[in-house]
């Protein structure tokens, strides 16, 4: 509560501030003169002592108006609390009548006190007294109810009290316009008067919806005609709240109507709400969009409610969509721009509310066939709904595609003919136009995809329809031109293409799930999708879409190969060779593509086929070894300059795993007879390579050879630690470690040291467990705490030692 002080008081404040500034200026000038003398003293002259700084006046931590406002607020609060306690809790031997008389006299004094205070130039004090008076008038209303009307209905009494208080506070605010509190308080207290009167059920009381509407109309009038800004703000917020309540009541009555006559009975309330909102939107441009949106919703609800009650069950949503579309298209100048935008947003809201129910049916139609995955090739159902186990159809399934198609009309107009919606034409120049096209495409695709389920089409027709929809969406996404780069191009041009490809993926998955019922349908659908995806990947432009479509084609081919493997009648470990045809073909395609961005995604998409082949052959060790070796051959076929290291490592790993699987199948019990020759040969080759090229890393030269024996020997030692293998392996690792330390080579040092550490931990683990079990339970935590304290105390030193160790290892080759 910041009230400007009277002119005399403000003049005194200004004079005091000027005096403080003069004192500060004098202090700074004295200091400046001393600094000039100290900066260039004459020869032989001593630097003059610094003068004592003039005592600056203490800085005030609170301004006088702030202190005054705090004191007045505290005083008013305390008076209000005392008045409430006096009225509610009693005072001496006075009854409620005596207290009411005393309270009335004090209230009259408080209501009249602000006038002389304002005349004396004390506006802040007048505001504080006025606030106390407002509280006292409310307490007076309670006292009158208790003394005069003790048996009256509390709801009706509260409504009357609100109306009387609003009148008294409005009169005070109009008589004393310098006071800020009465008029906003009157606006707030007047809002519940009519709704409470309607809820009381008194004779002549209006219905709750109309009471809320009249309250909203009064708040709108106050917001449009009142001059003080606070009054306009409070009145506008109250009018919006009451209008929302009236709109909700009208919607409830319209949606629960059973006959067109009952729905039409709710129309006058909704149309009156629309008229009130339109008046507010026309006269207040700042609130034009929300007010006009509420008006448009009321009109759509009034007309669409009658349509809903007159059509069969389940067909009400298309009626609402039709009303919303007509409203959006018919909203044109000379209506203000805010009103036009509000009507369009209301139409979009109706569309957004109508789509979710249809989207649920779409999810059922697309994902329902996945429930038959466990019944592959067991026979085709008669109709498509029989392929949806446990998913009943709604009362009006045909309304679902109609709703989806109707919802696609408005975004299609926005994308193709923005002139049809003048209010949104400026927004359609940016990325919103691409987004609108994507929304229209998705909704249109959804209407087509759900159509077989809606009409309960025969099974073959449903499979053909879903496949055709997938191919159509695929063609739309693949043929659209790529998005050019540059700031002058629309950032939303590529959104419809992405949406089309996603729709194609959804229909393709649904078609495949439906086709799993019969063998013929499975091969037909997967074959058509594989060919279509391959052709689309070949003909599409840009770096992203060919890669995505090529990877999808490989996945479809994987499904086709799996179906072929299942239909071949071969055992699982032999049918795995059929699945390997996909990685082999993908490697060949990747070799032809070379450095094209689609090469790597195509090759990576074949990994699931290879993994499925290995999993299928895992039941027979010999066939698993063969499959792993063939996978290594396929990986070696990808040894091209752009991915040579990765392909080489993958191929080598697969060959190694295949070798060990074969040895395991042959009953090998010791790896060393098979690994030592490889290790010796690899070390000789590495030594010759380092002799020709001294800059070769020890990991390239000796790492593979050392790992060929160290890794299998270590695994065997860990699994079967009996005998002399741990001793021999540890001795060899010690020799390798010493050689690496002597020759300053990383690979021998780290490989040998790692084997020694693992063997040492493995050998000592039983004794450590036994020793720990014999110790008291409190000793291990105590030792751990002491260790942490020691490490913390010498943290910097240990850190320097670790850095020196890391640098030393890093300097090795």
């Amino acid at each position: 509560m910041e009230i400007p002080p009277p002119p005399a008081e403000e003049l005194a404040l200004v004079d005091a501030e000027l005096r403080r500034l003069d004192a500060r200026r004098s202090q700074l000038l004295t200091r400046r003169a001393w600094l000039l003398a100290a900066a260039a003293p004459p020869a032989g002259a001593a630097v003059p002592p610094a003068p004592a700084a003039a005592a600056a006046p203490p800085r005030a931590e609170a301004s006088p108006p702030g202190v005054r406002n705090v004191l007045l607020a505290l005083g008013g609060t305390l008076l209000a609390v005392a008045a409430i306690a006096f009225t509610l809790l009693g005072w001496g031997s006075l009854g409620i009548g005596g207290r009411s008389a005393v309270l009335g006299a004090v209230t009259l004094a408080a209501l009249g006190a602000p006038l002389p205070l304002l005349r004396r130039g004390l506006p802040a004090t007048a505001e504080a007294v006025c606030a106390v008076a407002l509280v006292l008038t409310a307490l007076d209303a309670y006292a009158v109810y208790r003394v005069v009307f003790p048996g009256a209905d509390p709801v009706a009494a509260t409504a009357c009290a609100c109306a009387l208080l609003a009148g008294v506070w409005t009169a005070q605010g109009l008589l004393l316009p310098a006071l800020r509190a009465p008029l906003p308080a009157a606006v707030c207290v007047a809002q519940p008067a009519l709704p409470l009167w309607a809820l009381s059920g008194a004779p002549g009381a209006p219905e709750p919806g109309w009471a809320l509407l009249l309250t909203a109309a009064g708040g709108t009038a106050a917001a449009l005609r009142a001059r003080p800004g606070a009054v306009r703000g409070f009145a506008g917020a109250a009018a919006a709240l009451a209008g929302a309540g009236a709109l909700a009541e009208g919607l409830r009555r319209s949606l629960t109507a059973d006959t067109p006559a009952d729905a039409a009975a709710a129309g006058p309330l909704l149309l009156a709400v629309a008229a009130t909102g339109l008046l507010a939107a026309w006269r207040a441009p700042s609130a034009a969009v929300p007010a006009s949106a509420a008006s448009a919703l009321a009109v759509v609800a009034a007309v669409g409610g009658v349509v809903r009650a007159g059509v069969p069950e389940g067909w009400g949503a298309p009626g609402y969509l039709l009303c919303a579309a007509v409203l959006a298209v018919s909203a044109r100048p000379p209506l203000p721009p805010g009103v036009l935008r509000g009507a369009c947003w209301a139409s979009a809201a109706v569309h957004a509310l109508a789509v979710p129910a249809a989207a649920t049916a779409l999810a059922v139609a697309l994902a329902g066939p996945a429930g038959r995955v466990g019944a592959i090739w067991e026979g085709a159902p008669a109709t498509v709904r029989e392929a949806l186990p446990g998913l009943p159809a709604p009362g009006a399934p045909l309304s679902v595609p109609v709703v989806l198609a109707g919802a696609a009309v408005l975004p299609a107009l926005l994308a193709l003919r923005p002139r049809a919606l003048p209010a949104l034409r400026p927004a359609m120049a940016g990325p919103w136009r691409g987004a609108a096209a994507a929304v229209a495409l998705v909704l249109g695709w959804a209407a087509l995809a759900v159509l077989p389920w809606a009409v309960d089409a025969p099974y073959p027709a449903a499979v053909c329809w879903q496949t055709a929809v997938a191919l159509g969406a695929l063609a739309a996404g693949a043929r659209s031109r790529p998005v050019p780069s540059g700031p002058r191009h629309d950032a939303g041009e590529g959104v419809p293409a992405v949406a089309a490809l996603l729709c194609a993926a959804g229909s393709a998955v649904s078609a495949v799930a439906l086709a799993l019922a019969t063998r013929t349908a499975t091969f037909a659908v997967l074959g058509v999708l594989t060919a279509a995806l391959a052709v689309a990947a070949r003909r599409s432009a840009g770096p992203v879409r060919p890669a995505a479509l090529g990877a999808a084609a490989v996945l479809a081919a994987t499904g086709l190969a799996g179906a072929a493997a299942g239909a071949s009648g071969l055992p699982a470990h032999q049918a795995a060779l059929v699945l390997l045809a996909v990685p082999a073909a993908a490697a060949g395609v990747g070799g032809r593509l070379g450095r094209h961005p689609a090469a790597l995604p195509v090759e990576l998409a074949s990994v699931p086929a290879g993994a499925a082949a290995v999993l299928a052959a895992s039941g027979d060790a010999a066939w698993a070894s063969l499959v792993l070796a063939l996978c290594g051959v396929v990986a070696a076929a990808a040894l091209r300059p752009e991915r040579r290291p990765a392909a080489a490592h993958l191929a080598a790993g697969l060959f190694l795993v295949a070798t060990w699987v074969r040895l395991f199948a042959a009953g090998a019990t010791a790896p060393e007879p098979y690994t030592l020759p490889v290790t010796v040969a690899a070390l000789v080759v590495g030594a010759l390579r380092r002799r020709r090229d001294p800059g070769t890393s020890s990991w390239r030269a000796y790492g593979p050879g050392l790992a060929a024996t160290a890794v299998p020997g270590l695994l065997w030692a860990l699994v079967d630690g009996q005998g002399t293998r741990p001793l021999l392996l540890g001795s060899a690792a010690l020799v390798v470690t010493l050689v690496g330390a002597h020759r300053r080579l990383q690979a021998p040092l780290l490989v040998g040291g790692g084997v020694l550490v693992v063997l040492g931990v493995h050998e000592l683990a039983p004794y450590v467990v036994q020793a720990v079990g014999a110790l008291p339970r409190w000793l291990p935590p105590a030792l751990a705490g002491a260790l942490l304290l020691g490490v913390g105390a010498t943290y910097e030193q240990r850190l320097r030692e670790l850095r020196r160790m890391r640098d030393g290892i890093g300097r090795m080759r």
Side-chain angles (χ1 to χ4, degrees), residues 129-487:
V129 175
C130 176
V132 175
L134 297 181
V135 176
L136 291 175
T137 50
L139 295 175
D140 285 337
Y142 172 75
V144 169
Y145 165 71
R146 289 291 304 274
V147 174
V148 183
F149 307 103
D153 182 17
V155 178
T158 304
C160 295
C162 289
L164 291 175
L165 290 176
V168 172
W169 294 352
T170 301
Q172 186 184 23
L174 294 177
L175 293 175
L176 300 175
L179 297 177
R180 301 181 181 182
L183 290 179
V187 169
C188 293
V189 79
Q191 302 307 311
L194 285 176
L196 289 176
W197 184 30
L199 292 176
S200 67
E207 295 181 353
W210 287 101
L212 289 170
L213 177 61
L214 293 176
T215 303
T220 302
L224 294 176
R225 299 183 62 87
R227 291 185 179 180
V231 176
R232 289 198 302 270
F234 279 101
L241 186 61
L247 178 60
E249 176 64 18
L251 290 175
R252 185 193 65 80
R253 292 175 55 185
S254 177
L255 293 175
T256 56
D258 296 329
T259 63
D262 294 338
L269 176 60
L270 291 171
L271 294 178
V273 171
T276 304
L278 186 61
L279 174 63
W282 201 286
R283 297 290 301 274
S286 60
V289 174
S292 60
S295 299
L297 285 176
V299 172
V300 171
V303 181
V306 178
V307 175
R308 181 199 60 80
V311 298
E313 182 182 359
W315 287 93
Y320 285 109
L321 283 178
L322 179 61
C323 295
V326 170
L327 178 65
V329 174
S330 59
R332 294 179 175 275
L335 293 176
V339 176
L340 296 178
R341 287 194 296 271
C344 291
W345 282 116
S347 179
V350 173
H351 284 68
L353 292 174
V355 168
T360 304
L362 174 66
V364 169
L366 293 180
R372 297 181 57 87
V373 173
I376 298 177
W377 297 350
E378 292 186 357
T383 61
V384 68
R385 288 185 189 168
E386 294 184 11
L388 308 176
L391 298 175
L398 279 176
S399 64
V400 175
V402 174
V403 169
L404 292 171
V409 173
L410 185 60
L413 286 177
L414 292 176
L416 301 177
R417 297 190 63 185
R419 294 182 179 180
L421 298 171
L424 300 181
R425 190 186 307 171
M428 290 300 105
W432 289 104
R433 187 169 186 176
V439 171
L441 191 148
V442 171
L443 291 173
W445 161 80
L448 295 176
V450 82
L451 189 59
W453 171 80
V455 299
D456 198 14
Y459 173 77
V463 174
C464 295
W465 180 265
Q466 288 289 14
T467 306
V469 171
L471 295 179
L474 178 63
R479 290 182 180 179
S480 58
R481 59 191 180 92
V483 182
S485 59

Side-chain angles (χ1 to χ4, degrees), residues 658-751:
T659 302
W660 284 112
V661 171
R662 184 61 184 173
L663 290 175
F664 177 77
T669 57
E672 288 80 9
Y674 307 97
T675 59
L676 283 176
V678 177
T679 296
V680 172
L683 292 178
V684 171
V685 173
L688 294 176
R689 182 177 180 182
R690 279 182 60 85
R691 181 175 296 179
R692 290 195 307 268
D693 184 11
T696 303
S697 170
S698 63
W699 288 105
R700 290 178 176 271
Y702 306 123
L706 293 173
T709 297
V711 174
L714 182 60
L715 293 177
W716 246 269
L718 295 178
V719 175
D720 184 12
Q722 306 299 326
T724 59
R725 176 177 285 111
L727 179 60
L728 295 177
L729 182 61
S731 301
L734 178 60
V735 172
V736 171
T737 304
L738 294 176
V739 171
H742 177 69
R743 302 295 298 273
R744 301 179 61 82
L745 299 175
Q746 276 190 12
L749 177 63
L750 296 182
V751 171

